[in-house]
Structure formats: structure tokens, C-alpha cells
Amino acid sequence: MGERTTRGPGLRASLFPLTSPLRFLLLSSFLIPLGSFMVLPFMSVFLHERLGMGLGTVGVVLAVASLVQFSGGIVGGALADRIGLRRTMLWALALRTAGFAGLLPALRWPPLAIWALVLTCCGAALYLPANKAYLVHGVDDERRPAFLSAGNAALNAGMAVGPLIAGPFVLSSPGWLFAAVTTLFLAVTAGHARLPGTDGTHPAEAKDTARPSLLAGVALLPFAANALAFYLYFHFQHFLAVYAVERASSAFYSVVLLLCFTLVIVVQPLASGLIRRMPYAVALAVGFTGLAAGLAVLAAGTRAALLMGGALITLGDIVLFLKNDLEALRRSPRSDAVVFGQQRLAAGLGACASGMLGGQLYGLGERAGHTGWFWLLAAAQCLLLPPLLLVLRRRTARRPVPDGDHEGALTRDDTDGRIPGR
């Protein structure tokens, strides 16, 4: 009986009852990626085939856009501290709406498509830290994993459905598609304008006349672990399409992605409580082992291997991405929005490094006729690189950890000096 009291509330008890603003925010967490992924996954095809841009130019544009979308989150977190969560989300949605609207005239003037794409990515960078911080505002630590995982599930559901809806129209009727996405974002922006405001500034920071730097108070170990996790995961994200289409088909590649999205939608909310209680060292070991196993399985190149490898990689990232966010929130004295922004910066750095280094390695494997070795090398990195985090673990282990909480397992009263919901 005593053991049950330490497990925390179940998923349903953690989420419900939901207030109207939180219901709308979770709905928006589905609608925004739904609209975005009706366009963004097809941008390489659209820019190359419809607008006639060279593949080299397309690659540079997408690399810059990805870096802006991820790493710009640290600016979004700082902006939320200055002007508040709701106002930051409104500005972000206005930028994204303008970006998607700008794709319409880009049908006649192709260079405008580049600026429109970057504008949508700037909006995404500003929006996500404020969105996550608003979602957990005023929520106690035991319920936070359920809210974050519910938001992630809604986001992945939108990402899964968007390409299925837009696929037939992106080349045949792009104008109507861009107009529909712009209209959707106008409606979502109007809904955000009706949300109640919250104070996005951490009380400890509000007393200081001088604003801290963007990286002040960063939780070093979760930051580094997040960068490493995204670096390894984006080997899969960047290069699976080329690998899978060559060995199966584009339709089967869509099936693999749908499986991955479905696992996040179903598994992460159910496992959020377990991940919250899991010691940090154990979570890192489980997550990186899952990535290693999945990447190694991909090397077989069969359809079954593609499905199994994608599933194992997704299960690994479910643990890593959620636990790194929770641990960063626990360790940092900064506001939630700033912490999420710092974690997005880590994600951007990791994803960018993966694209730069992974692209060279995949190209070497392709020229040698053995692209399976690319996945084995990525799997080996999953086992060899994480021990480097032990250096940071020793440096941060000197800090006192409350309530005998070793390696980051959260307890009922473990707020690490933070105010719940801040």
C-alpha cells in the first residue's frame, strides 16, 4: 500500500479535468503540426520540381530552415520571459501564418518561397517553448509528464495525418493547399488571442534589474544529453527516406513513419509516469540502447527490418526526449519557457551536426555500395558517445540532490527549488 502512494496519479487522473484553455491548447498542438506537415515534408519536392530549384540549393535552404526552427527556440524562451507566454504564441503564429501565405505568391516568384519557409520556421522556433510552458503552467511536478506527453502525442498525430491529407495536392494544386493551411493558421491564431494571459517570468528573475543571458542557468547534463540524442536520432530522420525508398517504396516509407508516430501517440502518454520515476542514468541507458538496437537493425535493409528498426528507435527517443526535458526542468532555476528554449537549442545543434556529418558518411557508403554500414556506424556511436556524458555527470553530481533522489528520479516533493508550474 505504501508503495502505491509513491507512484503518483495515473494518466487519466493526471490529465483530467482539463480546463477549457488546456483543451484548446491540446487541440492546437494537433492542428498546428497538421497544417505545417501538409506543406513542410514536401518542400524539397515542391522547390525542386515545381519551382525548378537545384538540389544543392534546396539542401542549403532546408538545412538553414531546420537550424532556425530548432535552435531559435532559445530566443522564443527568452521572449516569453519578457512579454509573456500568450503574447509570444500570438507573435509566433502570426509569423507562421505570414510564411504560409507567402507561399502563394511564390508560385509566380520562386525566390519568395525561401523567405516564406524561413519565416514559418522562425514562428515555430518562437512558439514551442511558450506552448510547452503554458501547458504545464500551474501544474504540479507529478502531473507534468502526463501533460507534456499528451502535447507530444497531439503533435505527432498532426504530423502523421498532415502528409496523408496533402500528398495528392502538393504538386497538382499547391495554391489551394497553401490557402487552406493559411486559413487554418488564421483560425488557430484567433483562438490563441482568447486564451487567458500568464506571467511568463520566473519570480527569481523578476527581482533582477539585469536580464540573465540566454544560456544562464542551463542544466548542463540534460542539455548535452539532448544534443547527443538528437544528433543520433537524426541519422534516422534525415536519411531513412533515401534508404527506405531505394529498398521498398515511398508508400512503405510512409508506413514506417506512420508506425513511429503511432508509437509516440500511444506509448508516451502511457509510459510518462514510469519515465518520470525512472532514475536519469537508467533512462539514458535505456534510451540510447534503444537507438543503438534500432539503427543496427536497419542495416539489414528488409521491410521487416525497416519496421522493427523504426519502432526500436522511436521507443528509445520516447524515453530520451521526455526524460531530458523533465530533468532540465528539475535542475534549472530558470522559467519553463527558457528551459524548453535551451533544450530546443541543444536539439538544433544535434540535428545540424547529424546532417553535416551523417550526410558525408552516407555519401561514402552510397559510393562504396554498402549503405548498411552507415547504420552500423551510427549504432556504434550510440554505444560509444554516451559514456562521455559521465564527465558532465561527475561535475553536476556535486550539487545536493533533495530527498535522496539519486540520478534524477523525481519524488513527490522534489521541485529542486522551483515553484510548481513555473
Side-chain angles (χ1 to χ4, degrees):
M1 293 298 292
E3 190 174 313
R4 290 187 179 181
T5 61
T6 63
R7 293 178 62 85
L11 177 63
R12 182 176 294 274
S14 296
L15 286 175
F16 296 102
L18 281 174
T19 62
S20 295
L22 289 180
R23 283 198 299 269
F24 173 77
L25 210 61
L26 287 174
L27 176 62
S28 298
S29 295
F30 168 76
L31 293 176
I32 289 172
L34 171 70
S36 298
F37 272 68
M38 289 171 67
V39 175
L40 298 182
F42 304 102
M43 284 306 297
S44 59
V45 178
F46 176 75
L47 294 174
H48 179 57
E49 295 189 10
R50 180 78 186 203
L51 302 185
M53 293 185 184
L55 284 174
T57 303
V58 170
V60 172
V61 170
L62 295 181
V64 171
S66 297
L67 184 61
V68 169
Q69 180 169 343
F70 279 100
S71 298
I74 194 168
V75 178
L79 183 64
D81 258 6
R82 287 181 177 271
I83 69 174
L85 302 177
R86 183 176 67 90
R87 290 176 64 188
T88 300
M89 289 191 289
L90 285 173
W91 277 108
L93 289 170
L95 287 175
R96 299 194 81 176
T97 304
F100 286 118
L103 291 173
L104 285 167
L107 292 171
R108 294 185 176 274
W109 190 44
L112 187 59
I114 298 174
W115 298 104
L117 177 60
V118 172
L119 200 60
T120 63
C121 291
C122 288
L126 296 180
Y127 181 82
L128 192 61
N131 169 272
K132 284 188 171 184
Y134 197 107
L135 192 62
V136 299
H137 181 79
V139 175
D140 63 74
D141 283 357
E142 286 192 349
R143 301 176 66 202
R144 282 182 160 203
F147 278 80
L148 287 175
S149 59
N152 289 338
L155 183 141
N156 279 271
M159 291 166 63
V161 175
L164 297 177
I165 296 175
F169 309 107
V170 70
L171 292 179
S172 61
S173 306
W176 288 104
L177 178 63
F178 298 153
V181 172
T182 301
T183 302
L184 173 63
F185 270 85
L186 284 171
V188 171
T189 304
H192 277 68
R194 298 175 60 87
L195 289 173
T198 62
D199 180 8
T201 305
H202 193 282
E205 294 173 13
K207 298 176 183 177
D208 297 332
T209 56
R211 291 278 179 176
S213 67
L214 294 178
L215 285 175
V218 66
L220 190 58
L221 180 56
F223 183 91
N226 211 44
L228 181 58
F230 270 82
Y231 163 72
L232 295 168
Y233 171 74
F234 263 74
H235 284 71
F236 170 76
Q237 186 77 11
H238 282 313
F239 305 109
L240 180 67
V242 179
Y243 186 74
V245 170
E246 182 181 292
R247 284 157 179 75
S249 65
S250 57
F252 191 79
Y253 169 63
S254 299
V255 172
V256 175
L257 291 184
L258 186 60
L259 170 65
C260 296
F261 287 133
T262 303
L263 285 174
V264 176
I265 294 166
V266 174
V267 174
Q268 192 174 73
L270 294 176
S272 60
L274 175 62
I275 295 171
R276 178 186 68 83
R277 296 188 299 272
M278 190 180 294
Y280 192 33
V282 174
L284 292 178
V286 170
F288 284 118
T289 300
L291 289 181
L295 290 167
V297 168
L298 289 179
T302 64
R303 294 194 173 205
L306 293 175
L307 288 171
M308 184 178 297
L312 289 170
I313 290 168
T314 301
L315 293 174
D317 79 59
I318 284 173
V319 176
L320 284 173
F321 296 164
L322 179 57
K323 189 62 175 182
N324 280 330
D325 277 354
L326 292 172
E327 189 67 9
L329 288 171
R330 189 185 72 88
R331 292 179 178 226
S332 176
R334 301 295 298 276
S335 69
D336 291 348
V338 170
V339 173
F340 287 129
Q342 291 171 343
Q343 290 297 96
R344 289 286 287 180
L345 171 62
L349 295 174
C352 183
S354 178
M356 294 174 62
L357 180 59
Q360 298 298 321
L361 293 176
Y362 194 92
L364 288 174
E366 190 174 48
R367 288 190 291 272
H370 297 288
T371 49
W373 286 103
F374 168 80
W375 303 108
L376 293 177
L377 181 58
Q381 292 181 78
C382 292
L383 300 177
L384 297 175
L385 294 179
L388 297 177
L389 297 173
L390 292 175
V391 177
L392 294 178
R393 177 185 167 191
R394 294 191 189 100
R395 289 182 58 184
T396 57
R398 298 174 184 174
R399 296 176 59 236
V401 183
D403 296 331
D405 175 29
H406 299 292
E407 304 306 328
L410 293 174
T411 63
R412 182 178 298 275
D413 299 317
D414 182 12
T415 59
D416 199 26
R418 297 168 55 85
I419 298 174
R422 301 300 302 174

